[in-house]
PDB file of all heavy atoms in Angstrom:
ATOM      1  N   ARG A  33      11.865  17.452  36.967  1.00  0.00           N
ATOM      2  CA  ARG A  33      12.073  18.479  37.856  1.00  0.00           C
ATOM      3  C   ARG A  33      12.686  19.680  37.199  1.00  0.00           C
ATOM      4  O   ARG A  33      12.276  20.860  37.513  1.00  0.00           O
ATOM      5  CB  ARG A  33      13.004  18.021  39.071  1.00  0.00           C
ATOM      6  CG  ARG A  33      12.248  17.148  40.047  1.00  0.00           C
ATOM      7  CD  ARG A  33      13.096  16.881  41.318  1.00  0.00           C
ATOM      8  NE  ARG A  33      14.349  16.195  41.013  1.00  0.00           N
ATOM      9  CZ  ARG A  33      14.530  14.928  40.940  1.00  0.00           C
ATOM     10  NH1 ARG A  33      13.556  14.137  41.164  1.00  0.00           N
ATOM     11  NH2 ARG A  33      15.756  14.391  40.686  1.00  0.00           N
ATOM     12  N   GLY A  34      13.625  19.403  36.289  1.00  0.00           N
ATOM     13  CA  GLY A  34      14.201  20.506  35.569  1.00  0.00           C
ATOM     14  C   GLY A  34      13.246  21.346  34.717  1.00  0.00           C
ATOM     15  O   GLY A  34      13.270  22.555  34.676  1.00  0.00           O
ATOM     16  N   TRP A  35      12.325  20.570  34.121  1.00  0.00           N
ATOM     17  CA  TRP A  35      11.288  21.198  33.291  1.00  0.00           C
ATOM     18  C   TRP A  35      10.308  22.014  34.165  1.00  0.00           C
ATOM     19  O   TRP A  35       9.917  23.167  33.789  1.00  0.00           O
ATOM     20  CB  TRP A  35      10.612  20.206  32.404  1.00  0.00           C
ATOM     21  CG  TRP A  35      11.352  19.677  31.234  1.00  0.00           C
ATOM     22  CD1 TRP A  35      12.634  19.491  31.229  1.00  0.00           C
ATOM     23  CD2 TRP A  35      10.770  19.298  29.987  1.00  0.00           C
ATOM     24  NE1 TRP A  35      12.955  19.008  29.933  1.00  0.00           N
ATOM     25  CE2 TRP A  35      11.817  18.904  29.169  1.00  0.00           C
ATOM     26  CE3 TRP A  35       9.424  19.335  29.477  1.00  0.00           C
ATOM     27  CZ2 TRP A  35      11.735  18.459  27.855  1.00  0.00           C
ATOM     28  CZ3 TRP A  35       9.288  18.910  28.136  1.00  0.00           C
ATOM     29  CH2 TRP A  35      10.373  18.536  27.369  1.00  0.00           C
ATOM     30  N   ARG A  36       9.971  21.445  35.359  1.00  0.00           N
ATOM     31  CA  ARG A  36       9.035  22.191  36.180  1.00  0.00           C
ATOM     32  C   ARG A  36       9.607  23.454  36.709  1.00  0.00           C
ATOM     33  O   ARG A  36       8.947  24.436  36.923  1.00  0.00           O
ATOM     34  CB  ARG A  36       8.602  21.222  37.341  1.00  0.00           C
ATOM     35  CG  ARG A  36       7.647  20.141  36.956  1.00  0.00           C
ATOM     36  CD  ARG A  36       6.974  19.575  38.301  1.00  0.00           C
ATOM     37  NE  ARG A  36       7.975  18.991  39.140  1.00  0.00           N
ATOM     38  CZ  ARG A  36       8.240  17.719  39.180  1.00  0.00           C
ATOM     39  NH1 ARG A  36       7.664  16.907  38.264  1.00  0.00           N
ATOM     40  NH2 ARG A  36       9.133  17.281  39.964  1.00  0.00           N
ATOM     41  N   GLY A  37      10.927  23.488  36.812  1.00  0.00           N
ATOM     42  CA  GLY A  37      11.533  24.684  37.387  1.00  0.00           C
ATOM     43  C   GLY A  37      11.963  25.632  36.282  1.00  0.00           C
ATOM     44  O   GLY A  37      12.559  26.712  36.581  1.00  0.00           O
ATOM     45  N   ASP A  38      11.620  25.399  35.029  1.00  0.00           N
ATOM     46  CA  ASP A  38      12.037  26.214  33.829  1.00  0.00           C
ATOM     47  C   ASP A  38      10.764  26.997  33.475  1.00  0.00           C
ATOM     48  O   ASP A  38       9.822  26.491  32.971  1.00  0.00           O
ATOM     49  CB  ASP A  38      12.461  25.285  32.718  1.00  0.00           C
ATOM     50  CG  ASP A  38      13.124  26.279  31.672  1.00  0.00           C
ATOM     51  OD1 ASP A  38      12.891  27.410  31.596  1.00  0.00           O
ATOM     52  OD2 ASP A  38      13.802  25.601  30.784  1.00  0.00           O
ATOM     53  N   PRO A  39      10.845  28.335  33.674  1.00  0.00           N
ATOM     54  CA  PRO A  39       9.738  29.214  33.333  1.00  0.00           C
ATOM     55  C   PRO A  39       9.499  29.266  31.879  1.00  0.00           C
ATOM     56  O   PRO A  39       8.457  29.721  31.343  1.00  0.00           O
ATOM     57  CB  PRO A  39      10.096  30.559  33.874  1.00  0.00           C
ATOM     58  CG  PRO A  39      11.558  30.536  33.972  1.00  0.00           C
ATOM     59  CD  PRO A  39      11.953  29.130  34.354  1.00  0.00           C
ATOM     60  N   ARG A  40      10.455  28.875  31.024  1.00  0.00           N
ATOM     61  CA  ARG A  40      10.300  29.025  29.554  1.00  0.00           C
ATOM     62  C   ARG A  40       9.853  27.736  28.877  1.00  0.00           C
ATOM     63  O   ARG A  40       9.778  27.632  27.740  1.00  0.00           O
ATOM     64  CB  ARG A  40      11.712  29.419  28.917  1.00  0.00           C
ATOM     65  CG  ARG A  40      12.189  30.789  29.429  1.00  0.00           C
ATOM     66  CD  ARG A  40      13.529  31.033  28.863  1.00  0.00           C
ATOM     67  NE  ARG A  40      14.539  30.051  29.317  1.00  0.00           N
ATOM     68  CZ  ARG A  40      15.700  29.936  28.896  1.00  0.00           C
ATOM     69  NH1 ARG A  40      16.101  30.727  27.913  1.00  0.00           N
ATOM     70  NH2 ARG A  40      16.559  28.957  29.317  1.00  0.00           N
ATOM     71  N   VAL A  41       9.449  26.699  29.683  1.00  0.00           N
ATOM     72  CA  VAL A  41       9.103  25.397  29.118  1.00  0.00           C
ATOM     73  C   VAL A  41       7.870  25.510  28.260  1.00  0.00           C
ATOM     74  O   VAL A  41       7.754  24.745  27.271  1.00  0.00           O
ATOM     75  CB  VAL A  41       8.801  24.434  30.308  1.00  0.00           C
ATOM     76  CG1 VAL A  41       7.576  24.732  31.043  1.00  0.00           C
ATOM     77  CG2 VAL A  41       8.783  22.998  29.746  1.00  0.00           C
ATOM     78  N   TRP A  42       7.017  26.499  28.456  1.00  0.00           N
ATOM     79  CA  TRP A  42       5.757  26.661  27.570  1.00  0.00           C
ATOM     80  C   TRP A  42       6.044  27.594  26.374  1.00  0.00           C
ATOM     81  O   TRP A  42       5.266  27.656  25.483  1.00  0.00           O
ATOM     82  CB  TRP A  42       4.658  27.117  28.406  1.00  0.00           C
ATOM     83  CG  TRP A  42       4.213  26.145  29.446  1.00  0.00           C
ATOM     84  CD1 TRP A  42       4.417  26.164  30.777  1.00  0.00           C
ATOM     85  CD2 TRP A  42       3.407  25.003  29.172  1.00  0.00           C
ATOM     86  NE1 TRP A  42       3.910  25.032  31.366  1.00  0.00           N
ATOM     87  CE2 TRP A  42       3.290  24.291  30.465  1.00  0.00           C
ATOM     88  CE3 TRP A  42       2.880  24.431  28.084  1.00  0.00           C
ATOM     89  CZ2 TRP A  42       2.592  23.093  30.620  1.00  0.00           C
ATOM     90  CZ3 TRP A  42       2.175  23.197  28.218  1.00  0.00           C
ATOM     91  CH2 TRP A  42       2.053  22.565  29.516  1.00  0.00           C
ATOM     92  N   ARG A  43       7.120  28.379  26.480  1.00  0.00           N
ATOM     93  CA  ARG A  43       7.411  29.431  25.482  1.00  0.00           C
ATOM     94  C   ARG A  43       8.347  28.953  24.462  1.00  0.00           C
ATOM     95  O   ARG A  43       8.379  29.439  23.304  1.00  0.00           O
ATOM     96  CB  ARG A  43       7.891  30.730  26.159  1.00  0.00           C
ATOM     97  CG  ARG A  43       6.917  31.376  27.052  1.00  0.00           C
ATOM     98  CD  ARG A  43       7.346  32.802  27.363  1.00  0.00           C
ATOM     99  NE  ARG A  43       8.691  32.854  28.079  1.00  0.00           N
ATOM    100  CZ  ARG A  43       8.816  32.875  29.353  1.00  0.00           C
ATOM    101  NH1 ARG A  43       7.814  32.755  30.102  1.00  0.00           N
ATOM    102  NH2 ARG A  43      10.011  32.989  29.841  1.00  0.00           N
ATOM    103  N   ARG A  44       9.196  27.985  24.799  1.00  0.00           N
ATOM    104  CA  ARG A  44      10.185  27.406  23.785  1.00  0.00           C
ATOM    105  C   ARG A  44       9.434  26.445  22.784  1.00  0.00           C
ATOM    106  O   ARG A  44       8.377  25.859  23.120  1.00  0.00           O
ATOM    107  CB  ARG A  44      11.252  26.640  24.534  1.00  0.00           C
ATOM    108  CG  ARG A  44      12.357  27.535  25.063  1.00  0.00           C
ATOM    109  CD  ARG A  44      13.594  26.750  25.344  1.00  0.00           C
ATOM    110  NE  ARG A  44      13.196  25.658  26.321  1.00  0.00           N
ATOM    111  CZ  ARG A  44      13.433  25.732  27.621  1.00  0.00           C
ATOM    112  NH1 ARG A  44      14.041  26.818  28.237  1.00  0.00           N
ATOM    113  NH2 ARG A  44      13.146  24.740  28.453  1.00  0.00           N
ATOM    114  N   GLY A  45       9.968  26.256  21.675  1.00  0.00           N
ATOM    115  CA  GLY A  45       9.614  25.276  20.755  1.00  0.00           C
ATOM    116  C   GLY A  45       8.382  25.590  20.034  1.00  0.00           C
ATOM    117  O   GLY A  45       7.648  24.632  19.526  1.00  0.00           O
ATOM    118  N   LEU A  46       8.033  26.817  19.932  1.00  0.00           N
ATOM    119  CA  LEU A  46       6.776  27.236  19.214  1.00  0.00           C
ATOM    120  C   LEU A  46       6.851  26.907  17.685  1.00  0.00           C
ATOM    121  O   LEU A  46       5.781  26.535  17.162  1.00  0.00           O
ATOM    122  CB  LEU A  46       6.493  28.716  19.438  1.00  0.00           C
ATOM    123  CG  LEU A  46       6.221  29.179  20.860  1.00  0.00           C
ATOM    124  CD1 LEU A  46       5.962  30.632  20.907  1.00  0.00           C
ATOM    125  CD2 LEU A  46       5.124  28.394  21.488  1.00  0.00           C
ATOM    126  N   VAL A  47       7.931  26.964  17.102  1.00  0.00           N
ATOM    127  CA  VAL A  47       8.100  26.578  15.741  1.00  0.00           C
ATOM    128  C   VAL A  47       7.874  25.090  15.530  1.00  0.00           C
ATOM    129  O   VAL A  47       7.113  24.673  14.599  1.00  0.00           O
ATOM    130  CB  VAL A  47       9.464  26.992  15.143  1.00  0.00           C
ATOM    131  CG1 VAL A  47       9.698  26.412  13.825  1.00  0.00           C
ATOM    132  CG2 VAL A  47       9.665  28.457  15.232  1.00  0.00           C
TER     133      VAL A  47
END
Side-chain angles (χ1 to χ4, degrees):
R33 286 192 297 272
W35 285 35
R36 284 198 298 267
D38 188 347
R40 296 176 299 170
V41 71
W42 295 102
R43 298 196 297 271
R44 278 197 302 261
L46 295 183
V47 173

